[in-house]
Amino acid sequence: MTDEFRFGHVVLMGPPNAGKSTLMNHLVGQKLAIVTSKPQTTRNAISGILTTAEAQVVFLDTPGVHRLGGRMNRMLLDAAWGALHQADAVILLLDADLYIKKPQLFDKEIRPLADRLGGVGRPVFIAANKVDVVRDKTKLLPLFQRVGQAFPQVDIFPVSAATGEGTAELMARAIKELPVGPAQYPEDQLSTASLRFMAAETIREKLFLELEQELPYSTLVEIETWDEPETGPVHIAAAIHVARASHKGMVIGKGGQMLKKVGTAARLELEVLMERQVQLELWVRVREDWTEDPGFLREMGLGD
């Protein structure tokens, strides 16, 4: 590492549920991106800022790279690849445990990325994530050999985004590729995302955690009012958009219990984030087939 300070953008890419959001949250030291066990949770390129004595790194946590159909999914895929234009370096995350157990998925999900990433003209590093859950570590070597064949001359780092194992080595290597330059953000700033955006994401995370099967994927949270007085609680009103009339009752729940549960969990987390009392109102609105409405998707920040 040189004595010159560095500043740059590192894009986190990978298939859905590879651990990109978990890695960014760990590196930054605060929860910025929502994390659930369900794949394809991230919908926007969310930024996190890590400032050290040697560098300031802006991470872009992108939507999972996938082959799903539908207008919204195509927009998410475009957003993931579009983030590369801002990159000084790229970290491709893959679920090591998954591809050890299901090696056939490697050719389907990872090999198609090799040609495209090979042409981005930026340094690429492979983070083989979730090594902490691989009990037989000898099984990692054949996987690394397959990764090396698909991505020749690319450094591979075994890591655990959940525990932090191997992440320091990964970051030290990535920082070497950043251009020399001054920090662009205050040392204590952890994200370029607004509190309004993070509030909407917090509510959406609770929907993912509480609702079953595919319903969370057809919900969208919009902050409608935000009143932040100098003293007293912050008042936030948010609309939860659903794509079917039948979904409204499922989000509200019997006697309003589901909506109350989601609201309480979101409010408690927002109070920790904002370090003050929050009053949160949630409404559920039906917007038929919003996931296929390009105008609405762009309005909600999910398209170009």
Side-chain angles (χ1 to χ4, degrees):
M1 181 73 68
T2 69
D3 293 331
E4 297 176 299
F5 195 86
R6 295 175 182 269
F7 171 84
H9 295 78
V10 174
V11 169
L12 305 177
M13 293 195 73
N17 217 23
K20 300 179 294 298
S21 297
T22 302
L23 177 62
M24 185 180 74
N25 290 344
H26 172 80
L27 292 172
V28 174
Q30 180 170 316
K31 182 179 176 182
L32 300 175
I34 66 177
V35 178
T36 79
S37 60
K38 296 180 173 68
Q40 203 58 19
T41 304
T42 301
R43 288 179 179 166
N44 305 74
I46 301 170
S47 70
I49 304 171
L50 170 66
T51 304
T52 70
E54 295 120 345
Q56 186 173 78
V57 186
V58 180
F59 298 102
L60 293 177
D61 174 24
T62 61
V65 178
H66 57 84
R67 293 184 175 183
L68 301 176
R71 186 179 297 273
M72 183 180 72
N73 285 317
R74 290 194 298 273
M75 284 184 166
L76 296 181
L77 189 57
D78 289 343
W81 288 112
L84 292 177
H85 297 299
Q86 303 178 59
D88 295 295
V90 180
I91 295 176
L92 174 64
L93 275 83
L94 56 87
D95 184 337
D97 186 54
L98 173 65
Y99 298 125
I100 288 173
K101 292 178 178 177
K102 298 181 178 180
Q104 71 278 10
L105 290 180
F106 183 89
D107 290 334
K108 179 181 178 181
E109 297 181 354
I110 301 301
R111 286 193 181 275
L113 302 178
D115 290 339
R116 190 156 185 179
L117 285 175
V120 300
R122 293 162 175 80
V124 176
F125 304 101
I126 307 294
N129 191 27
K130 306 184 184 181
V131 296
D132 56 308
V133 297
V134 178
R135 294 185 178 180
D136 185 356
K137 304 301 183 186
T138 62
K139 293 183 178 180
L140 287 170
L141 182 57
L143 173 63
F144 293 168
Q145 291 173 336
R146 296 186 71 186
V147 174
Q149 292 170 358
F151 299 87
Q153 299 180 328
V154 171
D155 292 341
I156 306 169
F157 294 84
V159 305
S160 168
T163 68
E165 178 184 349
T167 57
E169 293 83 355
L170 171 65
M171 283 316 306
R173 182 65 185 87
I175 285 174
K176 289 182 179 180
E177 300 296 336
L178 302 184
V180 173
Q184 300 297 310
Y185 299 95
E187 186 176 340
D188 59 351
Q189 184 172 342
L190 298 179
S191 178
T192 61
S194 68
L195 280 175
R196 292 174 69 105
F197 173 82
M198 295 180 71
E201 287 291 276
T202 299
I203 297 166
R204 193 164 66 89
E205 179 188 56
K206 305 315 172 189
L207 290 167
F208 264 91
L209 294 175
E210 297 297 340
L211 298 172
E212 297 180 356
Q213 299 176 348
E214 295 302 311
L215 183 56
Y217 295 98
S218 59
T219 61
L220 182 145
V221 178
E222 179 184 9
I223 303 297
E224 295 196 324
T225 63
W226 183 288
D227 183 16
E228 190 172 351
E230 291 187 8
T231 59
V234 178
H235 181 264
I236 303 170
I240 300 171
H241 296 281
V242 295
R244 296 282 187 275
S246 59
H247 294 169
K248 183 175 181 179
M250 298 170 67
V251 174
I252 294 174
K254 186 177 180 180
Q257 289 302 305
M258 177 60 72
L259 192 62
K260 182 178 180 181
K261 189 174 184 180
V262 168
T264 298
R267 177 182 58 79
L268 292 174
E269 187 163 314
L270 288 173
E271 288 181 337
V272 173
L273 175 66
M274 302 179 70
E275 297 182 336
R276 60 189 296 186
Q277 187 179 359
V278 172
Q279 293 178 343
L280 179 62
E281 293 183 56
L282 298 180
W283 310 92
V284 183
R285 296 199 178 123
V286 178
R287 189 180 183 99
E288 293 285 345
D289 296 321
W290 68 263
T291 59
E292 299 300 316
D293 183 343
F296 184 67
L297 289 170
R298 282 191 289 269
E299 183 183 338
M300 294 296 103
L302 296 176
D304 297 328

